[in-house]
PDB file of all heavy atoms in Angstrom:
ATOM      1  N   LEU A  96    -106.976-126.137 -45.821  1.00  0.00           N
ATOM      2  CA  LEU A  96    -105.510-126.176 -45.792  1.00  0.00           C
ATOM      3  C   LEU A  96    -104.912-124.811 -46.088  1.00  0.00           C
ATOM      4  O   LEU A  96    -103.921-124.399 -45.469  1.00  0.00           O
ATOM      5  CB  LEU A  96    -104.992-127.213 -46.789  1.00  0.00           C
ATOM      6  CG  LEU A  96    -105.243-128.667 -46.404  1.00  0.00           C
ATOM      7  CD1 LEU A  96    -105.008-129.585 -47.585  1.00  0.00           C
ATOM      8  CD2 LEU A  96    -104.376-129.061 -45.217  1.00  0.00           C
ATOM      9  N   LYS A  97    -105.519-124.098 -47.023  1.00  0.00           N
ATOM     10  CA  LYS A  97    -105.052-122.745 -47.327  1.00  0.00           C
ATOM     11  C   LYS A  97    -105.221-121.848 -46.098  1.00  0.00           C
ATOM     12  O   LYS A  97    -104.329-121.066 -45.762  1.00  0.00           O
ATOM     13  CB  LYS A  97    -105.816-122.178 -48.521  1.00  0.00           C
ATOM     14  CG  LYS A  97    -105.344-120.806 -48.939  1.00  0.00           C
ATOM     15  CD  LYS A  97    -106.066-120.319 -50.186  1.00  0.00           C
ATOM     16  CE  LYS A  97    -105.558-118.939 -50.561  1.00  0.00           C
ATOM     17  NZ  LYS A  97    -106.244-118.420 -51.745  1.00  0.00           N
ATOM     18  N   TYR A  98    -106.343-121.974 -45.423  1.00  0.00           N
ATOM     19  CA  TYR A  98    -106.584-121.188 -44.211  1.00  0.00           C
ATOM     20  C   TYR A  98    -105.508-121.494 -43.167  1.00  0.00           C
ATOM     21  O   TYR A  98    -104.924-120.589 -42.579  1.00  0.00           O
ATOM     22  CB  TYR A  98    -107.980-121.484 -43.653  1.00  0.00           C
ATOM     23  CG  TYR A  98    -108.334-120.626 -42.466  1.00  0.00           C
ATOM     24  CD1 TYR A  98    -109.048-119.450 -42.643  1.00  0.00           C
ATOM     25  CD2 TYR A  98    -107.946-120.984 -41.181  1.00  0.00           C
ATOM     26  CE1 TYR A  98    -109.365-118.655 -41.559  1.00  0.00           C
ATOM     27  CE2 TYR A  98    -108.255-120.190 -40.092  1.00  0.00           C
ATOM     28  CZ  TYR A  98    -108.976-119.025 -40.283  1.00  0.00           C
ATOM     29  OH  TYR A  98    -109.270-118.221 -39.204  1.00  0.00           O
ATOM     30  N   ALA A  99    -105.251-122.781 -42.949  1.00  0.00           N
ATOM     31  CA  ALA A  99    -104.242-123.172 -41.954  1.00  0.00           C
ATOM     32  C   ALA A  99    -102.868-122.644 -42.328  1.00  0.00           C
ATOM     33  O   ALA A  99    -102.098-122.230 -41.461  1.00  0.00           O
ATOM     34  CB  ALA A  99    -104.209-124.690 -41.805  1.00  0.00           C
ATOM     35  N   SER A 100    -102.554-122.627 -43.619  1.00  0.00           N
ATOM     36  CA  SER A 100    -101.221-122.167 -44.037  1.00  0.00           C
ATOM     37  C   SER A 100    -101.001-120.692 -43.726  1.00  0.00           C
ATOM     38  O   SER A 100     -99.867-120.260 -43.551  1.00  0.00           O
ATOM     39  CB  SER A 100    -100.991-122.435 -45.522  1.00  0.00           C
ATOM     40  OG  SER A 100    -101.724-121.535 -46.317  1.00  0.00           O
ATOM     41  N   THR A 101    -102.073-119.925 -43.649  1.00  0.00           N
ATOM     42  CA  THR A 101    -101.924-118.490 -43.358  1.00  0.00           C
ATOM     43  C   THR A 101    -102.233-118.134 -41.911  1.00  0.00           C
ATOM     44  O   THR A 101    -101.898-117.030 -41.479  1.00  0.00           O
ATOM     45  CB  THR A 101    -102.833-117.646 -44.285  1.00  0.00           C
ATOM     46  OG1 THR A 101    -104.190-118.038 -44.101  1.00  0.00           O
ATOM     47  CG2 THR A 101    -102.431-117.820 -45.737  1.00  0.00           C
ATOM     48  N   HIS A 102    -102.861-119.050 -41.152  1.00  0.00           N
ATOM     49  CA  HIS A 102    -103.252-118.722 -39.785  1.00  0.00           C
ATOM     50  C   HIS A 102    -102.556-119.549 -38.706  1.00  0.00           C
ATOM     51  O   HIS A 102    -102.611-119.178 -37.533  1.00  0.00           O
ATOM     52  CB  HIS A 102    -104.766-118.857 -39.630  1.00  0.00           C
ATOM     53  CG  HIS A 102    -105.533-117.808 -40.367  1.00  0.00           C
ATOM     54  ND1 HIS A 102    -105.818-117.907 -41.713  1.00  0.00           N
ATOM     55  CD2 HIS A 102    -106.037-116.634 -39.956  1.00  0.00           C
ATOM     56  CE1 HIS A 102    -106.484-116.838 -42.088  1.00  0.00           C
ATOM     57  NE2 HIS A 102    -106.634-116.049 -41.044  1.00  0.00           N
ATOM     58  N   ALA A 103    -101.945-120.647 -39.062  1.00  0.00           N
ATOM     59  CA  ALA A 103    -101.225-121.457 -38.069  1.00  0.00           C
ATOM     60  C   ALA A 103     -99.867-120.822 -37.790  1.00  0.00           C
ATOM     61  O   ALA A 103     -99.291-120.170 -38.668  1.00  0.00           O
ATOM     62  CB  ALA A 103    -101.042-122.879 -38.580  1.00  0.00           C
ATOM     63  N   PRO A 104     -99.339-120.993 -36.581  1.00  0.00           N
ATOM     64  CA  PRO A 104     -97.999-120.484 -36.296  1.00  0.00           C
ATOM     65  C   PRO A 104     -96.979-121.037 -37.287  1.00  0.00           C
ATOM     66  O   PRO A 104     -97.085-122.176 -37.740  1.00  0.00           O
ATOM     67  CB  PRO A 104     -97.725-121.000 -34.878  1.00  0.00           C
ATOM     68  CG  PRO A 104     -99.085-121.182 -34.279  1.00  0.00           C
ATOM     69  CD  PRO A 104     -99.958-121.629 -35.416  1.00  0.00           C
ATOM     70  N   LYS A 105     -96.005-120.232 -37.634  1.00  0.00           N
ATOM     71  CA  LYS A 105     -95.027-120.583 -38.680  1.00  0.00           C
ATOM     72  C   LYS A 105     -94.085-121.719 -38.305  1.00  0.00           C
ATOM     73  O   LYS A 105     -93.383-122.239 -39.157  1.00  0.00           O
ATOM     74  CB  LYS A 105     -94.209-119.341 -39.078  1.00  0.00           C
ATOM     75  CG  LYS A 105     -95.067-118.245 -39.682  1.00  0.00           C
ATOM     76  CD  LYS A 105     -95.821-118.731 -40.900  1.00  0.00           C
ATOM     77  CE  LYS A 105     -96.745-117.675 -41.449  1.00  0.00           C
ATOM     78  NZ  LYS A 105     -97.862-118.208 -42.196  1.00  0.00           N
ATOM     79  N   MET A 106     -94.080-122.135 -37.041  1.00  0.00           N
ATOM     80  CA  MET A 106     -93.215-123.248 -36.641  1.00  0.00           C
ATOM     81  C   MET A 106     -93.678-124.576 -37.247  1.00  0.00           C
ATOM     82  O   MET A 106     -92.911-125.520 -37.357  1.00  0.00           O
ATOM     83  CB  MET A 106     -93.165-123.379 -35.116  1.00  0.00           C
ATOM     84  CG  MET A 106     -94.492-123.706 -34.473  1.00  0.00           C
ATOM     85  SD  MET A 106     -94.405-123.414 -32.704  1.00  0.00           S
ATOM     86  CE  MET A 106     -95.043-124.951 -32.097  1.00  0.00           C
ATOM     87  N   TYR A 107     -94.933-124.640 -37.699  1.00  0.00           N
ATOM     88  CA  TYR A 107     -95.453-125.867 -38.303  1.00  0.00           C
ATOM     89  C   TYR A 107     -95.119-125.890 -39.787  1.00  0.00           C
ATOM     90  O   TYR A 107     -95.371-124.934 -40.505  1.00  0.00           O
ATOM     91  CB  TYR A 107     -96.963-125.976 -38.088  1.00  0.00           C
ATOM     92  CG  TYR A 107     -97.334-126.062 -36.634  1.00  0.00           C
ATOM     93  CD1 TYR A 107     -97.977-125.019 -35.995  1.00  0.00           C
ATOM     94  CD2 TYR A 107     -97.005-127.193 -35.886  1.00  0.00           C
ATOM     95  CE1 TYR A 107     -98.304-125.098 -34.650  1.00  0.00           C
ATOM     96  CE2 TYR A 107     -97.328-127.276 -34.547  1.00  0.00           C
ATOM     97  CZ  TYR A 107     -97.975-126.220 -33.938  1.00  0.00           C
ATOM     98  OH  TYR A 107     -98.281-126.307 -32.606  1.00  0.00           O
ATOM     99  N   ASN A 108     -94.552-127.019 -40.236  1.00  0.00           N
ATOM    100  CA  ASN A 108     -94.177-127.106 -41.651  1.00  0.00           C
ATOM    101  C   ASN A 108     -94.832-128.274 -42.381  1.00  0.00           C
ATOM    102  O   ASN A 108     -94.656-128.423 -43.579  1.00  0.00           O
ATOM    103  CB  ASN A 108     -92.653-127.154 -41.814  1.00  0.00           C
ATOM    104  CG  ASN A 108     -92.024-128.334 -41.118  1.00  0.00           C
ATOM    105  OD1 ASN A 108     -92.639-129.373 -40.960  1.00  0.00           O
ATOM    106  ND2 ASN A 108     -90.787-128.170 -40.689  1.00  0.00           N
ATOM    107  N   SER A 109     -95.576-129.105 -41.667  1.00  0.00           N
ATOM    108  CA  SER A 109     -96.292-130.178 -42.348  1.00  0.00           C
ATOM    109  C   SER A 109     -97.549-130.552 -41.575  1.00  0.00           C
ATOM    110  O   SER A 109     -97.711-130.215 -40.402  1.00  0.00           O
ATOM    111  CB  SER A 109     -95.402-131.400 -42.568  1.00  0.00           C
ATOM    112  OG  SER A 109     -95.072-132.013 -41.350  1.00  0.00           O
ATOM    113  N   ILE A 110     -98.413-131.271 -42.275  1.00  0.00           N
ATOM    114  CA  ILE A 110     -99.685-131.721 -41.704  1.00  0.00           C
ATOM    115  C   ILE A 110     -99.781-133.218 -41.927  1.00  0.00           C
ATOM    116  O   ILE A 110     -99.439-133.726 -42.998  1.00  0.00           O
ATOM    117  CB  ILE A 110    -100.868-131.005 -42.378  1.00  0.00           C
ATOM    118  CG1 ILE A 110    -100.734-129.487 -42.197  1.00  0.00           C
ATOM    119  CG2 ILE A 110    -102.194-131.493 -41.810  1.00  0.00           C
ATOM    120  CD1 ILE A 110    -101.789-128.686 -42.927  1.00  0.00           C
ATOM    121  N   ILE A 111    -100.254-133.932 -40.901  1.00  0.00           N
ATOM    122  CA  ILE A 111    -100.410-135.370 -40.997  1.00  0.00           C
ATOM    123  C   ILE A 111    -101.856-135.758 -40.733  1.00  0.00           C
ATOM    124  O   ILE A 111    -102.629-134.988 -40.158  1.00  0.00           O
ATOM    125  CB  ILE A 111     -99.487-136.122 -40.014  1.00  0.00           C
ATOM    126  CG1 ILE A 111     -99.829-135.758 -38.563  1.00  0.00           C
ATOM    127  CG2 ILE A 111     -98.025-135.849 -40.321  1.00  0.00           C
ATOM    128  CD1 ILE A 111     -99.214-136.691 -37.547  1.00  0.00           C
ATOM    129  N   THR A 112    -102.200-136.958 -41.150  1.00  0.00           N
ATOM    130  CA  THR A 112    -103.487-137.550 -40.809  1.00  0.00           C
ATOM    131  C   THR A 112    -103.358-139.061 -40.876  1.00  0.00           C
ATOM    132  O   THR A 112    -102.474-139.584 -41.557  1.00  0.00           O
ATOM    133  CB  THR A 112    -104.621-137.031 -41.730  1.00  0.00           C
ATOM    134  OG1 THR A 112    -105.885-137.378 -41.159  1.00  0.00           O
ATOM    135  CG2 THR A 112    -104.504-137.550 -43.137  1.00  0.00           C
TER     136      THR A 112
END
Side-chain angles (χ1 to χ4, degrees):
L96 289 166
K97 183 176 180 181
Y98 185 95
S100 74
T101 59
H102 290 83
K105 297 302 176 205
M106 63 195 230
Y107 298 110
N108 60 29
S109 67
I110 301 175
I111 62 166
T112 194

